[in-house]
Structure formats: structure tokens, C-alpha cells
Amino acid sequence: TQRVVELLSEMRGVYATREAFVAELLARDQTRELATWLAMNLEREPDGNGFRFGLDIDAVREMLTDYLVQDLWDVVEEPPGRVRVDFLVGDDSTVVDAVDRARLATVAQRLPARVRVHVVARAGHWVHVDQPDATVALLAEVFRAGPVAT
């Protein structure tokens, strides 16, 4: 995620077409799926000539930095109230490392009604991009399950 934010920070120009934006990302070794997903955030220039990435990259960087300094393992290891914690992890993700996966597995084994880990095959960190159908199916399952019964 940090690499993508930095990449988008470098790409603050105007693109003649959405396809030109996607082509730039492909030239920078990003997948077509990620490039087309990011292209959904393009906004037409006020004069109608071209597109610019619509999200405030500096604000995204600030939010990501804040997120990365938060340690919420206590919530995972002892979910409060009726909270159930569901993790969706791509099996090819390098963001959730082996240590964190083992820690999640231990908590899920200890609290099976409260903490669940869902591993999505053939997906990296961008699970919703790599496997959108699997992501929607898992989210639907989680929402149907609702909070932990009291």
C-alpha cells in the first residue's frame, strides 16, 4: 500500500484518457486489476481535457501513517462486547507476515466464535481487486453472521 501511495504521489499529472493512466501504472509494474481499480478514482479536468487522480494523496499518506502506528492486537485478542473480528487475508499477501498469521491462527483457535481468519486463494494484499467475487461472498457471509450472540 505504501508503494502504491508513493507511486500515485509521483503520478500527479493529467492523463488524456483513463487508458493512459492505466498504461502508466502498467509501465510501473502494477497489475492491470490494480491499475483499473485505481482508475475509478480519476476525475475529469474542469476544462474537460483529460483526467487527474481524484484522491488527495497527501491525506491518504497521513491516514496510512496513522494506521501503521496503531497497535490493535488487544482488540483482536480480546474483542469487546459482542464484537466479532473477521480477517480477510490473501494467501499471496506479503503484508500479513508469517508471525502475524500464526498469531491470528492462535487467537482464532482460542476464540472461534469471536475471531475468524478467511484466507483467499490467488490473492495478494489487494484481495478485493485480485478476487472480487470471493471477497463479496465472504463479506456477505460475515454480515449474515452478525455480532456474537449474548
Side-chain angles (χ1 to χ4, degrees), residues 22-43:
V22 169
E24 176 74 18
L25 284 166
L26 293 174
R28 293 173 179 246
D29 296 323
Q30 300 305 305
T31 66
R32 177 164 300 282
E33 293 80 9
L34 180 61
T36 55
W37 179 70
L38 289 170
M40 291 190 303
N41 293 291
L42 292 177
E43 295 178 351

Side-chain angles (χ1 to χ4, degrees), residues 4 8 11 15 17-26 30-44 50-55 57 126 128-129:
V4 171
L8 292 169
M11 297 174 56
Y15 295 86
T17 64
R18 290 180 187 278
E19 293 76 21
F21 176 82
V22 169
E24 176 74 18
L25 284 166
L26 293 174
Q30 300 305 305
T31 66
R32 177 164 300 282
E33 293 80 9
L34 180 61
T36 55
W37 179 70
L38 289 170
M40 291 190 303
N41 293 291
L42 292 177
E43 295 178 351
R44 187 170 293 282
F51 297 89
R52 179 180 305 277
F53 195 72
L55 298 180
I57 295 300
W126 304 94
H128 61 291
V129 173

Side-chain angles (χ1 to χ4, degrees), residues 88 119-123 127-128 130-140:
L88 182 59
V119 179
V120 179
R122 298 177 313 284
V127 177
H128 61 291
D130 296 339
Q131 294 294 335
D133 293 340
T135 302
V136 169
L138 283 166
L139 287 172

Side-chain angles (χ1 to χ4, degrees), residues 81-99:
R82 297 175 54 205
V83 170
R84 178 183 3 253
V85 180
D86 284 86
F87 280 88
L88 182 59
V89 181
D91 66 346
D92 295 330
S93 175
T94 58
V95 174
V96 182
D97 63 24
V99 172

Side-chain angles (χ1 to χ4, degrees), residues 99-111:
V99 172
D100 286 341
R101 287 178 195 231
R103 190 172 179 182
L104 284 171
T106 299
V107 175
Q109 187 173 33
R110 183 174 56 84
L111 301 170

